[in-house]
């Protein structure tokens, strides 16, 4: 009864009427004051937040009683009475002062809490674009937290529905920056909105200052250097998500009509220049930084690892790791653009250091290349970095050397710089990349200009079943081999990690190959050391290493068999080789330098010799048929005058034998060197050698002997992996 009387005295008000009433009271506040008065009174002294909260409460209550499949009356009012556009204007103008975070919360609420997908409504697009532009206007805003929350919600919606990216790619900014004078009158014919229209004019001028047609990307870029690390990481993660949208229009807009490339370039340059010039080169490679967890390296638990320039180096490597992640997850247009820009910058930094007169600066340049290579994992960025290092052709060593030539020139120095210049290739090959290896070595060997066809024709059985078949029926077999090889390459892409078979990498005469390596060093240089002693340990190590290398290289598009290229000038090349066997084969400046260093090992110190053999070891571990055939298979018939790894080591040991015969008590000194280098506790600490040259001689013999065991082990393990 009392309920019925209550209904007569105060009947229920519909949600739409209630919402309209609160919105009208909200607007009346602005119509009753001048712009100056509006900007003078803080939000806390008004009832504006009360009305906004009531409006949101009404929307929630209505949502419970309406289907989420249809637009409710209150939401329809929101969209068609320009409520959202007016709120965006007030947000950017921050009038009265302090209203901005509340308006962001309104939009966050609508996107997150309202079940009806408002973002698909056309009437919602313009306010969202305008609010996104608002996020681009100022840095270190007091409302950064709300802004990034809003932008994150938009990015999440786009990730689920990529076509929504078009909403934030308008053809012109005139619509997004337009004022409200023509529309605001519809909001309430009884309310004077002159003050809001005045604010809208100022907002239009501010939005016009944003020179971009990719609103969302430009807004996110505004937070990359935010002092709030967590907020910055969130913006960076959203930028990765946005860059990965499968839209060519969006990718082009982000590259050409947003400050993405300028910001990446500026950040890399700024962070690198902040690293002290006197940073210890030996500490640069100690760091491995992940961009998300970089802040942990600044914590007190790492205080003992601190050194001058560590914080600046962490910041640089952190951003480099982020750029690498961005490249790896972006649309190919964005990926290639950022890769090209970044690689040019990095190579430029390193070349400048290598061109300096001071040895410390050159050592820093080498260290930066090492740490850069190990932090870069994305294929596109490594491709571009490789191309920049070689400048299209490694042979072009003019007055301005490319990076690889600069490093190879340092091999002519002595001491630490020479060893470090060699070690850089060890590092690069330890984390292999196809473009780098192709430019460094593989492209030179793929012509197979080292192979002696006339000698192969005279042999009863060749080193490989592929060659046997080829020599029986040259033209037809070549066609079949190449066709089969192409199919194997396709299978490699298709099968992924499935085991691949190669007769080049697993020749049928494997026992002969292994024995040639094991017996390369003469017995008189071994003394009491048993033939092949320690070989089983090398086999064990090689098994682990080659499995790791195969895993890294499984996606590379290398051939699986060493065959002659089907080119029109093969005959002319062969005829030139008859008059000058070495003319038709150019192995490139890197292998020339490496073989030259190998030939001088008897005069080099122990550390340099270890680096030389380590580089060769890294090369022969690669599952590349031409590298394997030329370097690791001593039974391959080679043209006269072309040195191979086997022939070079054999000549080296012949010379070592001659030198040893002139040394007094050389068996005792040989034994001392072997025990000392292999860690035998029975060896004395006294120096048994008469000179440094004598010590280098015997140390080199031990290094070569152990290296031959390693090569034999690699040959055997490769046979089992690829047979």
């Amino acid at each position: 009864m009392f309920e019925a009387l209550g209904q007569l005295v105060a009947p229920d008000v519909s949600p739409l009427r209630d919402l309209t009433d609160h919105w009208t009271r909200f607007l009346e506040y602005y119509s009753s004051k001048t712009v100056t008065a509006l900007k003078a009174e803080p939000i806390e002294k008004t009832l504006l937040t009360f009305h906004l909260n009531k409006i949101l409460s009404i929307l929630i209550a209505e949502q419970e009683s309406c289907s989420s499949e249809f637009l409710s009356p209150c939401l329809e009012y929101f969209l068609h009475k320009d409520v959202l556009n007016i709120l965006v204007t007030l947000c950017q103008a921050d009038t009265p002062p302090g209203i901005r975070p509340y308006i962001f919360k309104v939009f966050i609420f609508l996107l997150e809490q309202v079940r009806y997908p408002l973002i698909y409504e056309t009437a919602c697009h313009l306010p969202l674009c305008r609010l996104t532009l608002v996020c681009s206007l100022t840095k270190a805003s007091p409302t950064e937290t709300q802004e990034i929350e809003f932008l994150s919600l938009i990015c999440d919606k786009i990730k689920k529905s990529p076509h929504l990216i078009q909403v934030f790619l308008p053809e012109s900014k005139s619509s997004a920056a337009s004022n409200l004078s023509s529309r605001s009158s519809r909001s309430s014919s009884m309310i004077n909105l002159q003050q809001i229209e005045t604010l809208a004019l100022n907002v239009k001028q501010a939005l016009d200052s944003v020179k971009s047609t990719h609103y969302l990307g430009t807004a996110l870029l505004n937070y990359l250097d935010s002092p709030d690390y967590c907020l910055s990481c969130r913006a960076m993660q959203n930028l990765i998500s946005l860059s990965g949208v499968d839209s060519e229009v969006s990718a082009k807009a982000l590259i050409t009509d947003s400050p993405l490339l300028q910001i990446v370039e500026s950040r890399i340059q700024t962070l690198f220049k902040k690293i002290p010039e006197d940073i210890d080169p030996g500490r640069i490679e100690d760091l491995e930084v992940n961009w998300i967890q970089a802040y942990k390296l600044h914590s007190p638990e790492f205080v003992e690892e601190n050194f001058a320039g560590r914080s600046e180096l962490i910041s640089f490597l952190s951003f480099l790791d982020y750029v690498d992640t961005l490249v790896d997850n972006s649309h190919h247009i964005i990926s290639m653009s950022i890769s090209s820009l970044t690689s040019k910058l990095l190579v430029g930094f390193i070349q400048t250091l290598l061109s300096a007169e001071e040895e410390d600066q050159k050592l820093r340049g080498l260290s930066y290349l090492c740490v850069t290579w190990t932090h870069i994992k994305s294929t596109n960025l490594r491709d571009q970095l490789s191309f920049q290092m070689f400048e299209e052709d490694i042979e072009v060593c003019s007055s301005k050397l490319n990076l690889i030539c600069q490093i190879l020139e340092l091999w002519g120095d002595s001491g630490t710089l020479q060893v470090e210049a060699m070690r850089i290739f060890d590092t690069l090959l330890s984390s292999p990349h196809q473009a780098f290896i192709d430019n460094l070595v593989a492209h030179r060997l793929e012509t197979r200009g080292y192979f002696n066809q006339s000698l192969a024709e005279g042999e009863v059985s060749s080193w490989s079943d592929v060659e046997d078949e080829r020599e029986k029926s040259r033209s037809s077999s070549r066609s079949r081999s190449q066709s089969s090889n192409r199919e194997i390459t396709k299978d490699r892409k298709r099968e992924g990690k499935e085991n691949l078979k190669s007769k080049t990498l697993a020749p049928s005469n494997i026992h002969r190959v292994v024995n040639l390596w094991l017996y390369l060093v003469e017995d008189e240089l071994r003394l009491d050391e048993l033939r092949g002693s320690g070989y089983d340990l090398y086999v064990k190590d090689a098994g682990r290493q080659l499995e790791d290398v195969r895993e890294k290289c499984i996606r590379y598009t290398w051939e699986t068999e060493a065959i002659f290229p089907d080119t029109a000038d093969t005959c002319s090349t062969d005829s030139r080789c008859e008059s000058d066997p070495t003319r038709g084969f150019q192995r490139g400046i890197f292998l020339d330098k490496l073989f030259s260093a190998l030939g001088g090992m008897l005069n080099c110190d122990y550390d340099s010799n270890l680096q030389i053999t380590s580089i060769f070891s890294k090369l022969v571990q690669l599952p590349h048929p031409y590298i394997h055939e030329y370097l690791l298979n001593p039974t391959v018939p080679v043209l006269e005058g072309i040195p191979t790894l086997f022939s070079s080591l054999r000549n080296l040991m012949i010379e070592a034998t001659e030198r040893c015969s002139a040394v007094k008590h050389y068996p005792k000194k040989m034994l001392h060197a072997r025990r000392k280098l292999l860690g035998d506790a029975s060896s004395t600490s006294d120096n048994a050698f008469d000179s440094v040259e004598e010590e280098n001689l015997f140390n080199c013999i031990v290094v070569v002997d152990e290296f031959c065991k390693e090569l034999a082990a690699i040959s055997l393990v490769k046979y089992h992996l690829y047979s």
Side-chain angles (χ1 to χ4, degrees), residues 657-684:
T657 303
E658 294 176 356
R659 289 194 188 185
C660 286
S661 63
V663 177
K664 293 181 179 180
H665 309 296
Y666 94 83
K668 179 181 178 181
K669 294 177 180 180
M670 185 74 252
L671 182 61
H672 176 82
R674 180 174 297 279
R675 289 179 175 178
K676 180 181 178 181
L677 294 182
L678 298 183
D680 191 334
S682 63
S683 64
T684 62

Side-chain angles (χ1 to χ4, degrees), residues 445-446 448 450 463-468 470 477-478 480-489 492 500-508 557-565 623-629 722-723:
L445 301 180
E446 287 171 359
R448 219 180 181 199
Y450 52 83
W463 66 276
S464 157
D465 293 341
V466 172
E467 287 303 319
D468 290 339
R470 180 185 171 280
S477 177
R478 178 183 302 166
R480 286 196 303 270
S481 297
Q482 290 178 338
S483 175
S484 173
N485 196 59
R486 282 192 293 269
E487 289 301 318
I488 294 174
T489 301
R492 170 175 291 194
L500 297 170
K501 304 188 186 306
S502 168
K503 294 179 180 179
T504 303
L505 303 180
S508 57
T557 56
W558 285 336
E559 308 287 350
T560 54
E561 304 293 352
I563 56 175
F564 280 97
H624 190 287
Y626 300 96
I627 294 176
H628 178 100
E629 182 181 60
Y722 299 101
S723 63

Side-chain angles (χ1 to χ4, degrees), residues 211 221 254-270 319 341 345:
K211 305 300 181 184
L221 288 167
L254 199 55
I255 290 298
T256 60
D257 293 320
S258 83
L260 174 62
L261 294 183
Q262 295 92 317
I263 288 176
V264 169
E265 180 179 15
S266 175
R267 288 273 288 172
I268 291 177
Q269 288 179 332
T270 301
F319 189 72
L341 170 69
L345 289 173

Side-chain angles (χ1 to χ4, degrees), residues 604-712:
C604 291
D605 59 70
Y606 175 68
D607 291 335
S608 297
N609 288 339
L610 277 185
Q611 286 300 328
I612 294 169
T613 56
S614 180
I615 293 171
F616 272 113
S617 175
K618 294 296 190 302
L619 285 172
V620 299
Q621 288 177 24
L622 297 169
H624 190 287
Y626 300 96
I627 294 176
H628 178 100
E629 182 181 60
Y630 177 62
L631 294 179
L632 196 57
N633 196 325
T635 66
V636 170
V638 179
L639 290 169
E640 184 180 354
I642 296 180
T644 64
L645 179 57
F646 181 82
S647 64
S648 298
L649 288 174
R650 182 176 56 191
N651 293 335
L652 192 69
M653 289 299 96
I654 292 173
E655 183 181 350
T657 303
E658 294 176 356
R659 289 194 188 185
C660 286
S661 63
V663 177
K664 293 181 179 180
H665 309 296
Y666 94 83
K668 179 181 178 181
K669 294 177 180 180
M670 185 74 252
L671 182 61
H672 176 82
R674 180 174 297 279
R675 289 179 175 178
K676 180 181 178 181
L677 294 182
L678 298 183
D680 191 334
S682 63
S683 64
T684 62
S685 59
D686 299 332
N687 193 352
F689 307 107
D690 297 333
S691 64
V692 174
E693 291 76 14
E694 198 175 85
E695 183 178 8
N696 289 340
L697 169 64
F698 290 107
N699 286 347
C700 176
I701 294 172
V702 176
V703 169
V704 171
D705 187 27
E706 296 301 312
F707 180 48
C708 288
K709 297 174 190 176
E710 183 181 7
L711 293 174

Side-chain angles (χ1 to χ4, degrees), residues 305-375:
E305 301 178 16
N306 196 32
F307 57 88
R310 181 175 180 273
S311 296
E312 293 83 357
L313 182 60
I314 289 173
S315 298
F316 170 72
L317 294 178
S318 173
F319 189 72
L320 179 62
D321 185 61
Y322 170 71
V323 171
D324 182 61
T325 305
L326 179 63
V327 167
D328 200 33
N329 293 276
S330 295
H331 189 280
H332 70 91
I333 293 177
I334 300 173
S335 179
M336 293 302 297
S337 298
I338 296 178
S339 297
S340 177
L341 170 69
T342 304
S343 60
K344 287 179 182 177
L345 289 173
L346 295 174
V347 170
F349 296 153
I350 296 166
Q351 282 191 300
T352 301
L353 290 170
L354 293 180
S355 301
E357 296 294 330
E358 302 84 2
E359 181 175 312
D360 280 351
Q361 291 294 76
K362 293 179 179 179
L363 289 173
R364 289 186 188 96
L366 294 173
S367 296
Y368 279 127
L369 179 55
C370 278
V371 76
T372 296
W373 186 261
T374 54
H375 275 79

Side-chain angles (χ1 to χ4, degrees), residues 479-597:
S479 175
R480 286 196 303 270
S481 297
Q482 290 178 338
S483 175
S484 173
N485 196 59
R486 282 192 293 269
E487 289 301 318
I488 294 174
T489 301
K490 291 178 182 178
D491 290 341
R492 170 175 291 194
K493 295 178 181 178
R494 185 167 55 247
E495 295 171 3
K497 297 182 180 180
E498 189 172 317
N499 289 340
L500 297 170
K501 304 188 186 306
S502 168
K503 294 179 180 179
T504 303
L505 303 180
S508 57
N509 59 348
I510 183 61
H511 295 297
R512 184 185 171 201
V513 171
V514 170
N515 286 331
L516 282 171
W517 287 119
L518 289 178
Y519 284 82
L520 187 144
V521 179
E522 298 293 336
D523 286 338
E524 59 187 291
L525 297 179
R526 293 173 174 275
L527 303 177
D528 62 344
E529 201 257 346
L530 296 175
R531 174 72 62 180
S533 175
Y535 170 62
D536 54 339
L537 296 177
Y538 282 107
V539 171
K540 183 178 179 181
D541 290 340
R544 175 181 50 81
Q545 293 167 0
L546 286 167
E547 283 282 4
D548 183 52
V549 171
R550 184 174 66 165
E551 182 74 18
K552 292 176 180 177
C553 301
I554 196 67
R555 296 296 180 185
Y556 296 174
T557 56
W558 285 336
E559 308 287 350
T560 54
E561 304 293 352
I563 56 175
F564 280 97
D566 188 16
T567 56
D569 58 351
T570 300
C571 295
S572 60
T573 300
D574 293 341
S575 64
R576 288 197 303 269
C577 293
E578 291 176 5
S579 58
D580 184 0
T582 62
R583 187 176 178 183
F585 174 60
Q586 297 295 327
R587 59 190 176 188
I589 186 173
F590 173 71
L591 283 182
D592 283 343
K593 285 276 189 180
L594 189 57
F595 272 92
S596 176

